[in-house]
Amino acid sequence: MANHIRISSCIYIALCVIAFSHTETAQNRDIINPVTKTHYGFIRGTNNSGILTFKGIPYGGDTRWRRFQAPLPPAPWKDTLDATQYGEICPQEVPQQSGPFFPDERQKMRQSENCLNLNVCTPALHDGGKRPVMVYFHGGGFVSGSGNNDLYNGTRLCKRGNVVVVTVNHRLNVFGFLYLANIDKSKYAESGNVGMLDLILSLQWVRDNITEFGGDPNNVTIFGESGGGAKCATLMAMPKASGLFHKVITQSGQQVMARTIERATETANEILKLLEISIENSSSLDSVPVESLIKAGARNSFAPVKDFAALPGDPFDPVAPEISKDIPMMLGITHDETRYLIGITDTALFHLTWDNVLPALVKNSSLMGNLDRSQIIAQYKKMYPSYTASDVFFASTTASRSWRGMVIESECRGHQGGAPTYAFQLRWKSPVDGGKWKACHTLDIPLVFDNVAFGTQMTGGSVDAQSVADMMSESWISFARNGNPDNALIPHWEPFTLDKKPFMIFDTKPVLEFDPLGKEMELFQSAPYIQPGTR
């Protein structure tokens, strides 16, 4: 009888908790077109099953009038601004068709230099909720992409974790990272990093406005995948970003080094030559058509520039940035990064033989330096006897290209001390296309956002996919809330240390492993690591 009473009481309490947690959402469902205010004017959004969404909110002014210059806040508006549709994205080259794995939605997005806008998802407005704020920076390197992709929809994260989610659009490629300071320092002093200064302005907007959206401006986590992770790592080294965020998560995205002034100037001179503009007449860049700038920049790499001003030094070379020493960090990679990064453009790589794997590796392994590629192949065959030639190709390029930067950053943090660092690897394999992609680059995105349904093209929408999404999204939410990713769905996650090197392995059965990348890293440690496109 006593047991029956205890069970009944537990059920009653659980039902009360559930009812209480859904009260706010139920009230929100009565709000058809939510309206709130920002420092610049009122905005009207939409209601998605109790989560309030505002899209295309201006956080900066139109950069058409400040091309290659630091951004300014937007001009205030009088009428209530419609924030029900995504804003414009930075001009960029867009493929005519989406790739077979990652859903590219840019074909249906409007492009403009007036692209400084962001999107907010929140469980409630101006209620003093002080919810953790999760600000996501999109991938695509520093040249492409947008914050408007459905995979980044924050609705499910908001529902699951009672957090506020922000995604950001900013200047990219030639518009965000063309270094012209050596040509006209008075006008273009910060031109090599204006895309990063856009992100800093977006974080200032979050600081000043997020309370109206139920968020806590003193608990902001920045996170991003691929180029988005590299943006986060760069912000950790930028003095103007100091104090605007309090935790960092990078997914398959590192920025150990920035571009040198010399390399960035070479790019600028090449683009001026393509545009037939002399250095003396550089002011005419302001009137060059957008399409011409995109075409001129298409052949070049772009990244933040170590200009000794906006970005005083390389983010993680030779040490971790001192200004971010006390900020908790979580960083990781996927097990099979290059199956997408390289395999997406060359399907023959999935069908290599032992006769042609060497020339394929020579062609695609610049980060291996002067190491003997045939010896690399031999070592992988010895370590993993069951690997095919294609497996060896993708494993070796993944370790040398993607893992090394992440290991360098985590070890820099380990040497530095300060706030804890947590390392992870996604090992769960996508079942789509016969499993050819395995745990490849970008697969973590729908899992972290708990958007398995949006990402069916990547995840297959299976029960296992949702199980891993539960683990990862809960870990990200927990970290955003208190700086510790521990939660009931995974084993205890130990912070990274140089002696043990613990990694949380996300798979159908999560496990904490110690130094799981060690064998591969030993193969490449004698080759100098140089961030692609920086030297």
Side-chain angles (χ1 to χ4, degrees):
M1 180 68 176
N3 287 339
H4 176 73
I5 293 173
R6 280 198 296 270
I7 293 171
S8 298
S9 299
C10 290
I11 293 173
Y12 173 75
I13 292 171
L15 290 173
C16 288
V17 171
I18 292 170
F20 178 79
S21 66
H22 283 281
T23 298
E24 185 174 75
T25 301
Q27 291 173 343
N28 284 348
R29 288 198 180 104
D30 295 331
I31 305 173
I32 299 174
N33 295 116
V35 174
T36 192
K37 65 178 180 179
T38 73
H39 275 21
Y40 308 102
F42 284 88
I43 56 175
R44 178 183 294 106
T46 56
N47 189 326
N48 182 11
S49 302
I51 298 300
L52 311 178
T53 301
F54 299 83
K55 299 177 179 179
I57 307 171
Y59 68 84
D62 191 342
T63 63
R64 284 177 294 187
W65 319 121
R66 290 186 61 79
R67 185 180 278 179
F68 312 125
Q69 298 179 67
L72 294 175
W77 53 87
K78 292 183 179 179
D79 297 331
T80 299
L81 186 72
D82 177 56
T84 63
Q85 303 294 325
Y86 283 125
E88 294 168 312
I89 68 173
C90 180
Q92 57 195 269
E93 283 196 315
V94 177
Q96 293 302 307
Q97 294 183 337
S98 177
F101 189 76
F102 185 85
D104 191 334
E105 300 172 341
R106 288 175 294 163
Q107 298 93 338
K108 57 186 180 184
M109 298 176 190
R110 294 169 292 126
Q111 297 187 9
S112 169
E113 289 182 80
N114 187 20
C115 61
L116 304 190
N117 61 79
L118 50 78
N119 315 302
V120 181
C121 286
T122 180
L125 299 172
H126 39 75
D127 67 342
K130 292 188 175 181
R131 296 169 180 82
V133 182
M134 302 179 70
V135 181
Y136 184 78
F137 299 133
H138 67 78
F142 295 94
V143 299
S144 63
S146 86
N148 298 351
N149 196 299
D150 281 343
L151 282 179
Y152 314 147
N153 185 301
T155 299
R156 288 181 63 84
L157 276 182
C158 289
K159 285 185 175 182
R160 175 183 283 274
N162 193 29
V163 297
V164 179
V165 178
V166 180
T167 61
V168 182
N169 290 307
H170 67 109
R171 281 177 287 181
L172 304 162
N173 53 67
V174 68
F175 299 95
F177 300 97
L178 181 63
Y179 182 76
L180 299 168
N182 276 5
I183 295 169
D184 187 343
K185 192 164 187 176
S186 62
K187 184 176 182 179
Y188 300 126
E190 299 176 302
S191 57
N193 291 303
V194 295
M196 296 303 304
L197 296 178
D198 293 346
L199 296 181
I200 291 174
L201 187 62
S202 76
L203 291 172
Q204 292 171 342
W205 184 96
V206 169
R207 178 196 62 197
D208 297 338
N209 293 276
I210 209 65
T211 300
E212 289 295 321
F213 297 82
D216 183 357
N218 296 310
N219 189 7
V220 175
T221 298
I222 58 173
F223 69 124
E225 188 273 343
S226 192
K231 294 164 192 175
C232 292
T234 303
L235 286 169
M236 294 174 74
M238 299 185 72
K240 289 183 179 180
S242 183
L244 295 175
F245 57 92
H246 312 94
K247 303 174 191 71
V248 178
I249 308 173
T250 66
Q251 305 163 210
S252 301
Q254 301 79 40
Q255 195 70 15
V256 175
M257 303 169 179
R259 295 196 101 194
T260 61
I261 286 177
E262 293 75 17
R263 183 73 184 90
T265 300
E266 288 176 8
T267 297
N269 289 337
E270 181 178 340
I271 288 175
L272 288 174
K273 184 177 180 180
L274 288 170
L275 294 171
E276 298 182 347
I277 295 175
S278 66
I279 292 177
E280 295 75 19
N281 194 32
S282 61
S283 60
S284 62
L285 279 167
D286 293 345
S287 57
V288 173
V290 167
E291 295 77 12
S292 298
L293 281 171
I294 295 174
K295 185 177 180 180
R299 301 175 185 175
N300 290 277
S301 297
F302 292 96
V305 180
K306 184 172 67 173
D307 61 1
F308 303 97
L311 184 57
D314 291 307
F316 281 86
D317 184 37
V319 296
E322 184 66 21
I323 59 174
S324 298
K325 179 178 180 179
D326 297 324
I327 294 178
M329 184 178 189
M330 202 164 89
L331 71 168
I333 32 75
T334 71
H335 188 269
D336 307 285
E337 297 273 4
T338 57
R339 282 182 173 265
Y340 179 80
L341 279 171
I342 302 177
I344 195 71
T345 58
D346 188 353
T347 57
L349 295 173
F350 291 94
H351 310 288
L352 294 173
T353 67
W354 295 116
D355 291 330
N356 59 19
V357 65
L358 179 57
L361 192 58
V362 170
K363 179 182 177 182
N364 292 279
S365 58
S366 59
L367 292 184
M368 293 183 189
N370 294 323
L371 295 178
D372 186 336
R373 274 43 168 192
S374 62
Q375 284 299 311
I376 295 295
I377 293 170
Q379 288 293 328
Y380 266 90
K381 291 175 72 173
K382 183 178 179 180
M383 289 190 299
Y384 304 105
S386 64
Y387 274 17
T388 66
S390 290
D391 291 339
V392 166
F393 171 86
F394 287 122
S396 59
T397 52
T398 288
S400 60
R401 174 173 175 164
S402 301
W403 292 2
R404 287 190 72 198
M406 179 265 169
V407 168
I408 289 169
E409 290 187 2
S410 59
E411 291 182 349
C412 281
R413 292 272 298 186
H415 283 292
Q416 183 183 52
T421 300
Y422 298 89
F424 68 89
Q425 182 188 70
L426 174 62
R427 203 173 288 176
W428 179 77
K429 301 175 180 62
S430 169
V432 304
D433 293 340
K436 65 182 282 187
W437 303 104
K438 298 190 177 182
C440 71
H441 193 71
T442 73
L443 181 60
D444 51 324
I445 298 173
L447 305 175
V448 164
F449 276 91
D450 192 17
N451 279 337
V452 169
F454 278 135
T456 300
Q457 182 175 341
M458 307 166 71
T459 67
S462 66
V463 173
D464 283 349
Q466 186 58 57
S467 175
V468 179
D470 291 341
M471 301 172 203
M472 297 190 78
S473 59
E474 284 289 345
S475 299
W476 267 238
I477 289 167
S478 177
F479 183 80
R481 189 171 303 282
N482 54 41
N484 186 327
D486 268 346
N487 64 89
L489 299 181
I490 62 172
H492 170 57
W493 191 338
E494 293 184 26
F496 184 90
T497 58
L498 293 171
D499 57 337
K500 297 173 69 176
K501 299 182 181 178
F503 276 64
M504 183 58 63
I505 307 300
F506 287 103
D507 207 334
T508 49
K509 184 178 180 180
V511 62
L512 190 74
E513 290 188 5
F514 296 93
D515 198 18
L517 313 185
K519 290 189 298 183
E520 281 88 345
M521 292 302 95
E522 286 181 9
L523 293 179
F524 304 109
Q525 64 182 357
S526 63
Y529 180 83
I530 298 177
Q531 190 89 33
T534 63
R535 298 293 187 271

